[in-house]
């Protein structure tokens, strides 16, 4: 990750493909994405059919990442966009364990994650011990040796849905140093 560039983008939680299409349009990078809901998957496939550099798969995000870990993409510099969480399914811990075990150069962005100290950002909360928050995931981040970075922009200045996020990289890696250097991010204590 010496030059800050990625070889590929991996997304979990394709939904209808809006973010998938946007990320591919902006970066031009090859993409792999999965969606567990068959109807959403089929709609995304139809919407993105002309984009040959996007591979869409139907299935569970942990199984999807396990398959990628056994493929040549495991040796690449990858940007992971994790958005496969919805009520009864909260696979984030399993996803992060696979990524940390099989990739060296990576940045992970978890969508809909709490921004500590700024309650104006929304995050997914499905009840007791089932939220995308530092309270539920700091131990996992620490266990996996991941540095966590949150937006510095106050939610009051944010546009759109004001949904929070966290960016993760292997502690001490070039990716973590690059995240530390970005003025739009601040390190979150894990």
């Amino acid at each position: 990750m010496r030059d800050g560039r990625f070889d590929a983008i991996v997304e979990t939680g394709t939904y209808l493909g809006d973010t998938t299409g946007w990320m591919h349009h902006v970066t031009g990078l090859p993409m792999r994405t999965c969606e567990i809901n068959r109807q959403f998957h089929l709609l995304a496939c139809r919407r993105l059919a002309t984009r040959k550099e996007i591979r869409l798969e139907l299935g569970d995000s942990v199984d999807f990442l396990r398959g990628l870990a056994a493929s040549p993409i495991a040796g690449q510099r990858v940007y992971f966009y994790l958005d496969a969480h919805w009520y009864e399914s909260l696979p984030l811990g399993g996803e992060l364990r696979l990524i940390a075990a099989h990739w060296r150069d990576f940045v992970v962005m978890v969508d809909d994650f709490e921004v500590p100290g700024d309650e104006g950002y929304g995050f997914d909360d499905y009840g007791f011990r089932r939220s995308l928050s530092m309270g539920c995931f700091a131990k996992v981040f620490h266990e996996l040796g991941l540095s966590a970075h949150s937006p510095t922009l106050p939610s009051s200045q944010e546009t759109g849905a004001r949904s929070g996020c966290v960016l993760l990289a292997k502690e001490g890696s070039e990716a973590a140093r690059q995240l530390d250097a970005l003025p739009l991010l601040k390190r979150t204590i894990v």
Side-chain angles (χ1 to χ4, degrees):
M1 188 113 28
R2 298 156 305 284
D3 57 7
R5 296 186 187 157
F6 297 99
D7 297 316
I9 297 174
V10 171
E11 174 190 43
T12 63
T14 313
Y15 188 48
L16 301 177
D18 293 336
T19 303
T20 313
W22 179 82
M23 284 191 293
H24 181 261
H25 173 76
V26 169
T27 67
L29 290 172
M31 291 191 65
R32 302 286 299 267
T33 183
C34 75
E35 172 59 50
I36 197 166
N37 180 294
R38 184 170 183 72
Q39 288 178 307
F40 294 154
H41 170 74
L42 292 172
L43 285 167
C45 285
R46 189 172 187 172
R47 294 178 74 208
L48 300 168
T50 62
R51 304 208 191 174
K52 301 304 177 203
E53 292 232 337
I54 300 175
R55 289 191 49 197
L56 298 100
E57 295 185 29
L58 175 64
D60 174 79
S61 64
V62 174
D63 292 339
F64 167 71
L65 290 171
R66 191 174 292 116
L68 291 181
S71 77
I73 198 170
Q76 295 181 343
R77 295 173 294 181
V78 177
Y79 179 86
F80 291 90
Y81 180 78
L82 305 184
D83 197 14
H85 34 265
W86 196 254
Y87 295 101
E88 69 278 350
S89 181
L90 199 59
L92 183 59
E95 293 172 335
L96 291 175
R97 283 180 178 84
L98 278 165
I99 293 166
H102 296 283
W103 277 267
R104 234 177 0 96
D105 285 336
F106 64 85
V107 169
V108 172
M109 179 180 179
V110 181
D111 195 21
D112 307 311
F113 201 90
E114 170 194 37
V115 175
D118 191 335
E119 294 179 10
Y121 279 107
F123 63 97
D124 286 357
D125 185 349
Y126 304 114
F128 184 67
R129 294 188 183 168
R130 296 190 46 75
S131 67
L132 295 181
S133 66
M134 292 303 287
C136 288
F137 285 97
K139 184 176 178 181
V140 173
F141 298 166
H142 180 73
E143 169 191 318
L144 298 175
L146 300 175
S147 64
H149 303 80
S150 300
T152 57
L153 185 69
S155 59
S156 60
Q157 295 178 25
E158 183 64 74
T159 60
R162 292 189 177 112
S163 181
C165 67
V166 67
L167 283 93
L168 307 165
K170 201 64 139 165
E171 189 66 66
S173 69
E174 181 61 25
R177 285 188 288 280
Q178 290 178 351
L179 292 176
D180 283 336
L182 292 173
L184 292 176
L185 295 175
K186 62 184 172 197
R187 190 174 276 251
T188 303
I189 304 301
V190 176

